[in-house]
Amino acid sequence: MRNDILKLVQIQIVFIVLFAFFKFIRPPVLGGDYPEWVNIMLLSLPNLFEGIIGVLMLTGIGLYLNINVFNPKKQIRLRTIHITALILAGIYVITQEFKLHNLGGNNVFDKNDVIFSFVGLTIGYSIVLHVPPTGNKVKY
């Protein structure tokens, strides 16, 4: 199972780098004369990455707790870990978009950000479903 967590961390690092890259290129691109769809993508992509990263991170935490904290007889099923991670990440990113909290920074509501957040959550959930468990300590 430790390999499962490492796989998720490696994938997460890729999306963190992409998140940082798109945040970095924002100012010069937004100041340029680019089509509107480029501006929308540039402004909303961090939301997509945030959804993916949230699901991956919370799944990794869930796996870690399941292996190292919970009694083997009381471990949680992988499916439950995946769904719980998706729900918690979804609550965070969507409530942030609707300004119910401001933990992620100075947010401005944009329907495209909500759409990109949902897509990111879906991609994150798909990733954790397609990273097959390597250990057999936890029931699926």
Side-chain angles (χ1 to χ4, degrees):
M1 277 300 181
R2 203 169 272 163
N3 289 338
D4 298 339
I5 297 169
L6 289 175
K7 279 188 226 174
L8 293 177
V9 168
Q10 290 168 344
I11 295 168
Q12 188 175 342
I13 288 170
V14 170
F15 286 106
I16 290 170
V17 168
L18 288 170
F19 177 89
F21 172 75
F22 282 101
K23 283 280 201 175
F24 178 75
I25 66 166
R26 246 186 196 182
V29 173
L30 291 176
D33 189 27
Y34 292 95
E36 184 63 23
W37 70 267
V38 172
N39 292 337
I40 291 170
M41 291 291 288
L42 195 58
L43 291 170
S44 297
L45 271 174
N47 298 80
L48 179 127
F49 298 139
E50 192 174 65
I52 295 170
I53 292 165
V55 172
L56 296 177
M57 180 177 61
L58 291 171
T59 300
I61 291 169
L63 289 171
Y64 177 84
L65 291 173
N66 214 26
I67 296 164
N68 296 309
V69 176
F70 299 145
N71 179 326
K73 292 182 181 180
K74 296 188 179 191
Q75 286 185 335
I76 301 169
R77 293 180 172 269
L78 285 177
R79 188 172 310 143
T80 304
I81 292 172
H82 294 162
I83 291 170
T84 302
L86 174 65
I87 291 169
L88 291 175
I91 289 169
Y92 174 80
V93 298
I94 300 304
T95 57
Q96 178 180 335
E97 284 310 312
F98 287 104
K99 294 186 156 273
L100 296 176
H101 66 82
N102 204 22
L103 297 173
N106 204 5
N107 234 357
V108 175
F109 176 77
D110 179 8
K111 67 178 179 179
N112 294 315
D113 289 352
V114 175
I115 293 167
F116 274 68
S117 293
F118 273 113
V119 172
L121 292 165
T122 303
I123 292 170
Y125 186 69
S126 297
I127 290 170
V128 298
L129 290 181
H130 289 93
V131 174
T134 57
N136 55 4
K137 293 181 181 179
V138 181
K139 296 178 194 172
Y140 190 73

